[in-house]
C-alpha cells in the first residue's frame, strides 16, 4: 500500500535556507521513503528569483531561460536549457511573495535532488529518494499535472521492453515514467493553495538502478513533432 504524507507547516523559503532541515524537522522519515518537493521552494532556496523591476527588455527580447521558442501565438511555449518543453520556459510568479518577483527553474534539478537527498541523509540517517517536481501542461490533454524535473536515489523510468505481457506477447515500446507518476500522486496532497510544498511517499519500491530527470526528456532525434 502506498501512503502520501504531507509535510505541512513549512515557513516561506528564502535564498540560503536549509530546506532539508526544515523538512526533516516537520516529518517522520524512514528508509525507502520518496520525498517529492515542489520546484518552487527549491528555486527559492537556491536564489533562482528575478525582480522584474531590474529587467529592461529590448524590442526583440530573448528568454534567457530558453534555447528554442516552440510557439509564440497566444502563449509562449519554449524549450528550456534542460530540454523541458513548457509554457514560459518555467518562469512563474505564482506562490512567490512580491508582485514583481519571478521564480525560475533550478539550474540543474537533478543536482538539486541529489543535494537534498545527501543533506537529509546527513540530518536523519535515512536513505531516501528525492523528486523535484513541477506542474506542466500536457499535449492533447486539458489541465496541468505534476512531473519530475529532478530525480535522485531511484529509477526515473521502468523499462518493460523485451518482457512478455500476460498473454505472452513481447512488449516493444512500454517504458513507464514512474517518477512522473509519483510526482502526480504527490500533487493530490500538495494542491496549489494549501502551502504543502513537500510530500513523503511511503510504501513504493521501484526495482532498477537509480536514474535522473534527464532520462524523462525525449531526445530530439526521437521527437516526431520537430
Amino acid at each position: 500500500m502506498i501512503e502520501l504524507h504531507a509535510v505541512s507547516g513549512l515557513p516561506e523559503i528564502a535564498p540560503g535556507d536549509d530546506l532539508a532541515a526544515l523538512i526533516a524537522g516537520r516529518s517522520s522519515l524512514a528508509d525507502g521513503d520518496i520525498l517529492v518537493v515542489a520546484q518552487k521552494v527549491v528555486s527559492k532556496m537556491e536564489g533562482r528569483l528575478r525582480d522584474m523591476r531590474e529587467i529592461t527588455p529590448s524590442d526583440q527580447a530573448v528568454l534567457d531561460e530558453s534555447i528554442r521558442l516552440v510557439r509564440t501565438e497566444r502563449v509562449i511555449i519554449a524549450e528550456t536549457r534542460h530540454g523541458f518543453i513548457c509554457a514560459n520556459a518555467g518562469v512563474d510568479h505564482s506562490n512567490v511573495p512580491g508582485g514583481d518577483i519571478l521564480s525560475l527553474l533550478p539550474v540543474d534539478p537533478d543536482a538539486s535532488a541529489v543535494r537534498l537527498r545527501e543533506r537529509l541523509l546527513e540530518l536523519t540517517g535515512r536513505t531516501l529518494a528525492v523528486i523535484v517536481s513541477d506542474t506542466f501542461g500536457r499535449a492533447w490533454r486539458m489541465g496541468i499535472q505534476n512531473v519530475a524535473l529532478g530525480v535522485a536515489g531511484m529509477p526515473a523510468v521502468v523499462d518493460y521492453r523485451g518482457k512478455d505481457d500476460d498473454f505472452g506477447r513481447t512488449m516493444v515500446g512500454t517504458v513507464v515514467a514512474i517518477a512522473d507518476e509519483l510526482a502526480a500522486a504527490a500533487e493530490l496532497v500538495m494542491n496549489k493553495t494549501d502551502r504543502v510544498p513537500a510530500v513523503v511517499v511511503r510504501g513504493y519500491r521501484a526495482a532498477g538502478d537509480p536514474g535522473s530527470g534527464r532520462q524523462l526528456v525525449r531526445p530530439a532525434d526521437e521527437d516526431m513533432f520537430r
Side-chain angles (χ1 to χ4, degrees):
M1 180 176 65
I2 298 177
E3 301 175 0
L4 303 173
H5 300 274
V7 181
S8 56
L10 287 171
E12 178 62 36
I13 304 300
D17 282 351
D18 191 340
L19 179 59
L22 292 169
I23 291 172
R26 290 164 174 80
S27 57
S28 178
L29 299 173
D31 288 331
D33 283 349
I34 301 167
L35 179 70
V36 181
V37 185
Q39 160 269 320
K40 194 66 60 68
V41 292
V42 175
S43 291
K44 290 177 181 178
M45 173 188 66
E46 296 179 348
R48 292 284 290 161
L49 304 170
R50 293 292 183 273
D51 190 332
M52 289 190 293
R53 294 168 296 186
E54 299 174 359
I55 300 173
T56 305
S58 65
D59 291 338
Q60 198 168 12
V62 177
L63 295 174
D64 289 340
E65 299 301 306
S66 305
I67 60 172
R68 181 169 68 101
L69 294 179
V70 178
R71 180 187 175 95
T72 57
E73 298 176 12
R74 291 190 297 168
V75 64
I76 295 176
I77 305 295
E79 181 178 353
T80 72
R81 298 181 185 277
H82 322 80
F84 307 137
I85 296 179
C86 56
N88 302 317
V91 178
D92 188 13
H93 60 76
S94 65
N95 289 318
V96 179
D100 297 307
I101 306 300
L102 297 173
S103 167
L104 313 180
L105 297 179
V107 172
D108 185 341
D110 283 322
S112 300
V114 169
R115 286 192 293 268
L116 277 172
R117 181 174 185 259
E118 291 176 346
R119 178 63 174 147
L120 286 164
L121 175 62
E122 176 186 350
L123 291 168
T124 69
R126 302 299 188 184
T127 301
L128 315 172
V130 174
I131 295 172
V132 176
S133 70
D134 195 12
T135 47
F136 280 13
R138 300 160 297 152
W140 305 294
R141 302 287 289 180
M142 294 298 294
I144 58 176
Q145 176 180 309
N146 243 18
V147 299
L149 304 185
V151 179
M154 63 168 287
V157 299
V158 173
D159 191 346
Y160 291 96
R161 290 174 296 183
K163 298 181 180 180
D164 290 342
D165 66 14
D166 291 343
F167 298 95
R169 299 184 185 93
T170 301
M171 292 181 279
V172 296
T174 305
V175 180
V176 179
I178 58 171
D180 279 349
E181 292 182 327
L182 290 166
E187 172 64 18
L188 297 174
V189 179
M190 288 178 174
N191 292 318
K192 283 295 184 185
T193 58
D194 290 348
R195 293 189 61 85
V196 177
V199 173
V200 176
V201 181
R202 181 165 296 162
Y204 182 82
R205 296 291 183 269
D209 296 330
S212 68
R214 275 287 182 188
Q215 292 176 281
L216 297 164
V217 177
R218 186 177 294 278
D221 60 357
E222 296 181 14
D223 186 346
M224 67 182 70
F225 298 105
R226 284 182 186 254

